[in-house]
Amino acid sequence: ALAIVSGSAGGLGSALCEALVAQGCSVAHCDVHEGRLQDVHQRLLRLTSDGIGGIKDRAASVSAHVVDVADEASVARLAREVGETHSTKGRKLLLFNNAGVVGGESIFGDRRDFDRCFETNWRGVYLPTRAFLPMLLESSRGCIINTSSILGFWANPSYFHSTTAYSASKFAVKGFTEALIADFRLRAPHLSVAVVMPGHVGTSIVDSLPPVDVAAFRDSYAQAKRHLDSVRGTSEYESLERAGLVAQYSKDLDKIPDDVLAKRVQGVRARFSRGGMKPKDAAEVILKGIKR
């Protein structure tokens, strides 16, 4: 089998690549970050040179490609390169549309940041699906695996924190995948599609966020405090108090210097990267699921 994996320069993507190669699957993997992509590629090459379980004639072939999955020309080039590098016709094919970024917290925020997040997460699924569809149609059996998120079920992770662009893009991925189930059933029954809805997986995805904007953080915090003041004495306030949000937003940020506040926010991001399910474990769950 041949697997095409996007977003392979770290986290879940690199874990999927390593697990696939370990199972004897050839892999064409891509990312926009060339340096980290090559680091992962060297690890995969070491796996293939050692063979699978020491049996070298079962070793998989791997190729690395620098690609921006939100750019149609870049994705079209990826499809051409994969077709030139690997045999595909009549073969089992897996397309893992896994690349993603975070950002675009608010529709009232920076338009470029919002569009970057939405387009990478949505077009990064749609464009490869389009580009690889001819190849998938010529396969003996094919499966598209699209990475959405728990935020594709539940748009707001907390009462005062919005993830508008990210959540909207992940809802789009989920809806697109579900729609393809019937589309493939009728028009390409040898193809299947699956959607992955991860919760907290400890990856470096927060590295795709812009640097901490202390002024914007202070403004969001002040907005939350003003809302709390406006609902004081209501059942909503009581619910928020029980949830600990009143205490959380009772601090006086004016007493905290900008550099200290920026470090605290960066610390939260770092703890997110270290926490959650390990990417290796998440990859194992995904691969078990699609084998069924």
Side-chain angles (χ1 to χ4, degrees):
L2 169 66
I4 302 101
V5 183
S6 67
S8 65
L12 182 56
S14 62
L16 282 168
C17 289
E18 292 182 18
L20 287 161
V21 168
Q23 293 180 21
C25 185
S26 293
V27 171
H29 65 109
C30 68
D31 204 286
V32 72
H33 300 288
E34 185 172 7
R36 300 203 302 253
L37 174 73
Q38 290 302 325
D39 290 342
V40 171
H41 191 57
Q42 291 305 312
R43 293 205 302 271
L44 297 179
L45 287 176
R46 286 194 290 273
L47 282 174
T48 59
S49 65
D50 291 341
I52 309 304
I55 305 174
K56 291 191 177 183
D57 60 1
R58 288 183 59 205
S61 62
V62 296
S63 62
H65 311 264
V66 180
V67 173
D68 178 358
V69 292
D71 180 78
E72 190 162 8
S74 185
V75 173
R77 174 175 53 78
L78 169 66
R80 289 196 301 272
E81 290 177 359
V82 171
E84 292 166 358
T85 306
H86 302 269
S87 62
T88 59
K89 192 171 182 178
R91 192 176 188 181
K92 293 178 182 177
L93 293 183
L94 301 169
L95 174 61
F96 289 86
N97 289 318
N98 170 74
V101 298
V102 290
E105 290 184 1
S106 170
I107 193 70
F108 300 103
D110 182 79
R111 171 70 183 269
R112 290 170 298 177
D113 181 44
F114 192 101
D115 288 353
R116 175 191 65 88
C117 177
F118 188 88
E119 290 177 7
T120 299
N121 295 347
W122 160 238
R123 288 168 65 85
V125 169
Y126 173 68
L127 293 178
T129 298
R130 279 280 188 194
F132 283 96
L133 196 56
M135 201 176 291
L136 286 160
L137 289 172
E138 292 185 338
S139 68
S140 60
R141 189 172 60 179
C143 183
I144 300 174
I145 304 93
N146 296 328
T147 301
S148 178
S149 166
I150 193 172
L151 298 187
F153 281 126
W154 180 39
N156 296 306
S158 73
Y159 195 87
F160 289 125
H161 179 65
S162 60
T163 55
T164 306
Y166 184 83
S167 296
S169 68
K170 293 304 185 178
F171 267 84
V173 170
K174 178 176 178 287
F176 179 59
T177 307
E178 291 179 353
L180 285 179
I181 293 172
D183 211 356
F184 286 173
R185 183 188 300 126
L186 295 173
R187 298 171 180 88
H190 69 301
L191 302 182
S192 60
V193 61
V195 64
V196 180
M197 310 291 289
H200 183 186
V201 179
T203 73
S204 59
I205 192 170
V206 293
D207 292 347
S208 64
L209 284 168
V212 176
D213 185 335
V214 174
F217 181 84
R218 289 185 186 278
D219 185 54
S220 294
Y221 194 91
Q223 288 172 359
K225 291 185 74 171
R226 286 196 294 271
H227 179 79
L228 286 170
D229 288 340
S230 72
V231 298
R232 192 180 299 274
T234 66
S235 58
E236 179 184 351
Y237 185 90
E238 291 173 0
S239 295
L240 295 172
E241 191 170 32
R242 286 194 297 271
L245 289 174
V246 172
Q248 182 178 334
Y249 286 91
S250 63
K251 299 172 185 175
D252 184 0
L253 295 192
D254 290 339
K255 296 180 179 179
I256 304 175
D258 283 357
D259 60 333
V260 174
L261 192 56
K263 287 180 181 178
R264 289 185 183 180
V265 176
Q266 194 59 49
V268 172
R269 294 181 180 183
R271 287 192 294 276
F272 181 91
S273 295
R274 295 193 299 268
M277 177 181 275
K278 300 298 182 186
K280 181 178 179 181
D281 296 334
E284 183 180 343
V285 171
I286 292 168
L287 294 182
K288 281 184 179 178
I290 62 173
K291 278 183 180 179
R292 295 173 185 171

